[in-house]
Amino acid sequence: MSIQRYKLTQPIQTQSMVNQLPQGVAITLVGQSPGICVDLDLADDSGKSDLDQYMATLGWTFVETSPTSPRPVVAPEFQLPVIKRETTPPGSPTIGDRYIVGTGATGDWATHDDEITEWDGTAWQFTTPIDGMTAWDQEEKEVDVYSGSWEPNSPRELGVFNAADAILTASTPPVEVVRNEREMLAYADSGAAVVTYFTGIVPRSYVQSANLRVRVYWVAATATAGDTRWSAAFEKLVMSAPNVDNDNFGTDKGVNSPTNATNGEINSTIIVFDNAEADLIAPGNPFRLRIRRQSGSPGDTMVGDAQLMRVVIVQ
C-alpha cells in the first residue's frame, strides 16, 4: 500500500478514472490539482504495473512513489466525491464524510444550502460552490455540476408531460387555464389537495439503482411570496396488479417550494424518489404519476392559484 503520484497532461473528472480502473486495482484519491498532478493511494502494490499502464493510456506520466512534497490541493472546481445530497447532518459522521447540503438544511448545516460540507472529526467544514464545480454523487451514481444550483451533468429525461397531457378525473382537479397563449393547470388555494394524473411508459434507459427526480414547473397566478407544497406519487401498472378499480400508489413525497418574487417567472420544484418509493417501476412498465398541490398543508402558505406548466421526470 503506497501513494503514487502522476502528472496530469489534461484535466479530467478523476472519479470517472477511478470507476474505470483495471480489475484488481484499488485506489483512493488523496489529492488532485488539474493540470499539475494527482496522488493516488494504491491499496495493493502488486497492482502498480497495471495502474501505470492504465494511466499511460490517459497520457499521464508517473512521477514518484511515496512523494515527500506536500499533497496537491484539490482544485476548487474538481471536488472529491460526496456521499449524497442531504439536509440533515448525520448523527455519527466519519472523518472525511462529504455531502452536498440540500435546500432547507437544519442543525449545523442551517444557512449553508448548496455548499459542500466535510466532517473533519470535530466540526463540519464548508466549501461555497462556484459555477462549473463538479462532484461525484455516490448515491445517485452521477456527476453533479453547479450552475446556480446542483444538477446532474448528463440527466436522462424519462418523461415530459405538458398541462394538456393531464387526466382531470379526480374529485378536486385543477382548472385548465390559458396564460399568454400557454396552456396551464390552475391548482387552487382551496384548503384541500388538488389532484391530477399523468400516464406514461418507463423508458428502457431507466436505471432502477439510481434515484429519479420529478420536476414540476409552475408559476403563481398572482402571488409574489409564500410557499406552495407539491407532492408526487407513482403507480406501476402491470398485468397482475393493481385492479383498475383501486389505487395502488407508492410513497407520496412532498416538497415546499417558494414562489418567485416576480410574478410570472417560472418556479421549479424537484421531488426525489428512489426506486422503492417510485412503486418499484421498471423499464417498460406503464405507470401513472399523481401530482397534487396540498393547499391544506401547513407548508402551503401561498395565496392564490399555482399554475402548472409541465412535469419532467429525469434521472
Side-chain angles (χ1 to χ4, degrees):
M1 182 174 182
S2 60
I3 304 296
Q4 310 294 323
R5 178 168 289 182
Y6 297 83
K7 182 176 178 59
L8 281 70
T9 57
Q10 57 184 350
I12 191 171
Q13 170 53 246
T14 308
Q15 185 62 39
S16 299
M17 176 197 73
V18 172
N19 289 343
Q20 299 176 49
L21 284 171
Q23 186 174 3
V25 176
I27 62 170
T28 302
L29 174 68
V30 294
Q32 176 189 350
S33 182
I36 304 176
C37 57
V38 62
D39 283 1
L40 304 174
D41 190 350
L42 184 60
D44 184 346
D45 289 348
S46 64
K48 173 69 164 56
S49 60
D50 288 337
L51 181 60
D52 284 345
Q53 186 176 29
Y54 173 69
M55 296 295 277
T57 66
L58 300 177
W60 296 5
T61 305
F62 171 71
V63 178
E64 59 183 323
T65 296
S66 302
T68 56
S69 57
R71 288 178 181 172
V73 177
V74 176
E77 65 271 26
F78 287 83
Q79 290 292 306
L80 295 174
V82 298
I83 294 173
K84 62 178 178 178
R85 190 178 311 196
E86 184 60 86
T87 58
T88 304
S92 302
T94 300
I95 293 176
D97 282 356
R98 293 165 57 82
Y99 296 85
I100 292 175
V101 180
T103 302
T106 61
D108 291 342
W109 294 357
T111 74
H112 292 283
D113 290 5
D114 278 341
E115 296 180 22
I116 290 180
T117 186
E118 179 174 342
W119 179 250
D120 67 5
T122 303
W124 292 100
Q125 303 299 326
F126 297 92
T127 299
T128 301
I130 59 175
D131 284 351
M133 182 177 284
T134 63
W136 175 256
D137 187 319
Q138 295 172 325
E139 180 180 68
E140 297 286 349
K141 299 179 178 63
E142 67 188 13
V143 176
D144 287 343
V145 179
Y146 184 81
S147 179
S149 62
W150 288 98
E151 296 291 345
N153 186 37
S154 300
R156 294 180 293 273
E157 290 186 352
L158 304 180
V160 179
F161 304 104
N162 293 311
D165 299 320
I167 300 172
L168 306 177
T169 56
S171 58
T172 54
V175 177
E176 295 176 287
V177 297
V178 176
R179 181 170 178 173
N180 192 28
E181 305 307 319
R182 293 175 171 87
E183 292 181 283
M184 299 186 182
L185 298 175
Y187 288 69
D189 174 25
S190 62
V194 182
V195 186
T196 194
Y197 302 93
F198 299 93
T199 61
I201 296 177
V202 182
R204 298 295 177 185
S205 59
Y206 174 55
V207 179
Q208 288 181 268
S209 61
N211 287 355
L212 58 82
R213 297 171 176 82
V214 174
R215 192 161 191 167
V216 181
Y217 292 90
W218 61 281
V219 294
T222 56
T224 56
D227 288 356
T228 298
R229 184 168 181 82
W230 296 96
S231 72
F234 286 87
E235 181 187 51
K236 178 174 62 177
L237 304 173
V238 294
M239 292 297 291
S240 57
N243 185 306
V244 295
D245 291 326
N246 302 309
D247 287 341
N248 190 34
F249 284 93
T251 304
D252 188 85
K253 299 194 70 175
V255 172
N256 296 341
S257 183
T259 190
N260 200 296
T262 301
N263 185 259
E265 291 193 357
I266 298 172
N267 306 285
S268 174
T269 302
I270 299 175
I271 308 173
V272 182
F273 291 80
D274 61 29
N275 184 249
E277 293 168 333
D279 202 28
L280 299 174
I281 58 173
N285 286 159
F287 68 92
R288 283 201 301 171
L289 174 64
R290 183 179 66 200
I291 299 293
R292 301 195 290 185
R293 178 188 179 185
Q294 297 182 332
S295 61
S297 165
D300 192 303
T301 59
M302 192 189 81
V303 176
D305 291 353
Q307 298 174 332
L308 182 145
M309 299 178 66
R310 69 183 53 87
V311 178
V312 180
I313 305 174
V314 297
Q315 187 175 58

